[in-house]
Amino acid sequence: MKSKIGLIFFYLFTSLSLYAPSAHDALHLLEGKKNLIHVAIIGAGPAGLSAAIPPTRSGYHTVIFEGLKPGGELMNAMVVENWPGVKKDSGAHTMNALEKQVKQFGAHFAPQEVRSVDFSQWPFVLTLSDGTSINALTVIAATGASQKKLGFEGEDTYFGKGIFTCGICDSSFAREKDIIIIGGNDIAIQRALQLASLARNITFIVPGPRMTAQKSMLRKLKGMKNIHYLYNKKIIGVKGEETKISHAEIFDCKTQKYSIIKTDSIFLSTGLTPNSELFKEHLPLDQHKCIKLREGRSQKTPIDGIMAAGCVSDPVYRQVAVVIGDGTKAGMDALTFLSLWGLDGVSQKAIHKDLYIPPASTSIQHIQTVSELNNATKRTQLPLLVEFYSPLCPSCRKMEAPLLALREKYKNLVKILKVKVDQDQQTTLIDKQNITIIPAFVLFNKGKEIKRLEGEATQETLSSFIDTAAKGRSKKRTTPLKNS
């Protein structure tokens, strides 16, 4: 009954322009609430990180939930050259610089995924992948967009086994292989630039009579002899063995004829779908499945205190400069809402003890040399799981939440360490372990490697890997590590 009365007050106060609610009103509604966040941002791409800057600079407790795609789609970009005032650079480096800036202002990053939301009450309730319930005073939806699936035969069967969407994450599946890239847009060009130095041959399957990418992007492919084009074609199916594809069935839209092309991998590059599934029961969506915003120049949704920014709310522009502007506006809209409720100064201190502070992945110990790894094995009787990762690797970033969960699950059974592979002083350790793909997970017992897992994995897969490997069911190497 109390929450219903509070909700009535909330909507009454925020809908009447002649009434300005006070900090006392807000603190009354927040009484007894735990895990509070002033500004909760769902999504850690350019829109989400930009949205964090205004509230963090103003001293508000801001948490960015990274979810399954830390850094967003921009992490996969080979080159970013439309970021105003910044020399062209890789998407990963660009996002890494923005993340450092946001952290300097005091933003918190949570690797957990937001699994469900409840916007029918205030504070708004977010439920995380680890079961934690969050009470958010404002929410900014910045979940971006994902690669569209095409619906051809075998697409779901071979997705992740020969059909991919990330040129960087899945580049190992293109090495010395004949691959297909579907599409002729800028995203397709990005995929080709990421893979051209690895693949034996790249064939563009273009549904229309010409490439639709910008001329500046097309010029980047000039002179690449391993790139080929098939126009007015579309894939209608793929065939192969249980874990890999062998060929694609092609339909010629002009001649109405069918053909078969041998291929080892297919990379999808045919447009984006907004990641709005989380909000579809709570916020209105347009015909593109983008979150609808109020009319005007803000990022406000029809619910006061809920904002949306970036590709999840914009079906038209989808350029990084626009996305950054949207994110900044959303952060400022959050400030306006909090200011309306008088949630600054004394009122911020009043709820300080009840704020949600996400677990820090940096609390997992890092090692740098073979000697440190040997010492770690000597100091513990437990099996040792070592992750080799890079903060610039999108797949590695996705592993942060699963590793934190596994650390808790196996805290008395397995010790977890991390090795950052792009630090010069760790080259010897990386070479000794023959690490060629990241993320890589290597399980040691008494100084000996007993099993490894390479590439992106789910928490369930990692848990199963630890369970089976710890029982010694599979041994890959039996020689002790050598000191360096």
Side-chain angles (χ1 to χ4, degrees):
M1 185 67 180
K2 181 179 178 181
S3 63
K4 288 184 178 180
I5 294 174
L7 185 60
I8 292 171
F9 276 122
F10 168 65
Y11 283 113
L12 177 63
F13 291 161
T14 57
S15 62
L16 293 178
S17 59
L18 294 178
Y19 180 85
S22 67
H24 179 269
D25 299 322
L27 293 176
H28 175 70
L29 295 176
L30 297 176
E31 186 179 337
K33 302 289 185 182
K34 302 294 183 181
N35 291 331
L36 293 168
I37 298 175
H38 287 116
V39 182
I41 300 173
I42 307 176
L49 298 194
S50 300
I53 294 176
T56 51
R57 290 186 66 208
S58 298
Y60 287 101
H61 182 58
T62 304
V63 178
I64 301 166
F65 293 98
E66 297 181 287
L68 298 177
K69 203 170 275 189
E73 285 290 330
L74 199 66
M75 288 289 287
N76 300 323
M78 191 77 171
V79 177
V80 177
E81 56 186 6
N82 59 345
W83 192 300
V86 177
K87 293 180 180 179
K88 67 179 181 180
D89 203 348
S90 70
H93 278 107
T94 302
M95 288 307 300
N96 192 45
L98 181 55
E99 181 180 320
K100 285 182 179 178
Q101 180 185 16
V102 172
K103 284 181 176 178
Q104 287 173 354
F105 288 132
H108 296 265
F109 283 73
Q112 288 79 6
E113 179 187 5
V114 176
R115 289 282 175 82
S116 66
V117 299
D118 183 357
F119 296 156
S120 67
Q121 56 182 304
W122 189 85
F124 308 112
V125 179
L126 314 178
T127 303
L128 307 185
S129 50
D130 63 3
T132 303
S133 184
I134 300 296
N135 289 295
L137 279 60
T138 63
V139 175
I140 298 174
T143 46
S146 296
Q147 179 64 53
K148 284 180 182 177
K149 286 189 177 182
L150 297 178
F152 54 77
E153 183 183 352
E155 184 178 25
D156 290 332
T157 302
Y158 291 102
F159 199 81
K161 301 175 185 177
I163 298 176
F164 309 103
T165 61
C166 176
I168 294 177
C169 318
D170 303 310
S171 59
S172 60
F173 296 98
R175 192 178 299 276
E176 294 300 320
K177 300 288 175 60
D178 295 321
I179 69 170
I180 286 173
I181 296 177
I182 304 177
N185 55 21
D186 287 356
I187 298 175
I189 302 294
Q190 287 280 10
R191 298 278 187 275
L193 292 172
Q194 293 160 355
L195 302 170
S197 63
L198 300 172
R200 184 167 50 236
N201 286 294
I202 296 175
T203 300
F204 281 99
I205 301 293
V206 185
R210 65 183 65 85
M211 299 289 280
T212 58
Q214 299 177 68
K215 289 182 180 179
S216 60
M217 294 295 290
L218 288 170
R219 282 196 293 268
K220 298 178 188 299
L221 299 182
K222 243 184 171 182
M224 294 186 180
K225 296 181 180 180
N226 63 336
I227 292 182
H228 317 280
Y229 305 87
L230 291 177
Y231 298 106
N232 298 305
K233 305 287 194 299
K234 66 179 182 180
I235 291 182
I236 60 171
V238 293
K239 301 292 183 182
E241 300 173 9
E242 185 177 346
T243 58
K244 63 179 182 179
I245 62 174
S246 59
H247 64 273
E249 298 178 77
I250 308 296
F251 176 70
D252 190 310
C253 304
K254 197 171 182 179
T255 66
Q256 304 292 296
K257 292 182 179 180
Y258 297 87
S259 60
I260 290 177
I261 297 179
K262 288 184 178 181
T263 186
D264 299 295
S265 299
I266 295 175
F267 287 80
L268 305 180
S269 308
T270 50
L272 301 172
T273 298
N275 296 324
S276 56
E277 187 73 15
L278 179 65
F279 311 105
K280 68 178 183 179
E281 302 296 331
H282 310 276
L283 294 170
L285 307 181
D286 64 17
Q287 69 269 30
H288 305 287
K289 297 185 179 179
C290 287
I291 296 173
K292 282 186 177 181
L293 302 177
R294 295 183 190 179
E295 291 186 7
R297 301 176 64 85
S298 78
Q299 301 300 129
K300 298 175 183 177
T301 72
I303 299 179
D304 288 307
I306 308 290
M307 280 62 65
C311 295
V312 74
S313 59
D314 177 11
V316 179
Y317 296 103
R318 292 182 169 173
Q319 293 288 307
V320 65
V322 179
V323 166
I324 291 170
D326 286 352
T328 303
K329 286 161 59 182
M332 296 179 73
D333 288 337
L335 287 180
T336 300
F337 180 86
L338 293 170
S339 177
L340 176 68
W341 279 85
L343 285 166
D344 50 18
V346 175
S347 58
Q348 284 197 52
K349 294 179 181 178
I351 63 173
H352 181 75
K353 67 181 186 301
D354 297 319
L355 295 178
Y356 170 74
I357 306 296
S361 60
T362 53
S363 59
I364 296 178
Q365 182 184 346
H366 282 62
I367 56 176
Q368 299 183 4
T369 66
V370 176
S371 296
E372 287 181 355
L373 182 56
N374 277 333
N375 290 335
T377 60
K378 290 175 183 177
R379 287 196 300 266
T380 178
Q381 296 299 310
L382 301 176
L384 200 62
L385 178 67
V386 180
E387 182 204 15
F388 293 82
Y389 81 104
S390 168
L392 302 180
C393 162
S395 292
C396 300
R397 295 283 298 272
K398 295 180 187 179
M399 297 295 98
E400 292 185 13
L403 276 181
L404 285 171
L406 291 173
R407 184 183 62 177
E408 291 303 308
K409 179 179 179 180
Y410 294 99
K411 59 184 176 182
N412 296 320
L413 300 172
V414 174
K415 184 177 178 63
I416 298 176
L417 301 176
K418 300 183 78 169
V419 175
K420 187 177 177 183
V421 303
D422 52 356
Q423 288 185 350
D424 293 338
Q425 64 267 38
Q426 294 167 342
T427 302
T428 303
L429 178 55
I430 295 160
D431 291 342
K432 291 282 186 184
Q433 294 307 307
N434 192 28
I435 301 300
T436 58
I437 296 174
I438 55 173
F441 303 89
V442 183
L443 194 69
F444 297 94
N445 194 11
K446 297 179 181 178
K448 300 175 183 178
E449 178 183 331
I450 58 175
K451 198 170 185 180
R452 70 170 56 192
L453 179 67
E454 296 177 328
E456 184 181 325
T458 63
Q459 183 176 324
E460 291 74 19
T461 300
L462 280 172
S463 183
S464 177
F465 166 74
I466 292 173
D467 289 338
T468 57
K471 292 175 183 176
R473 295 179 183 175
S474 175
K475 292 193 177 183
K476 183 172 180 180
R477 180 183 296 170
T478 56
T479 55
L481 294 165
K482 295 180 180 180
N483 284 318
S484 64

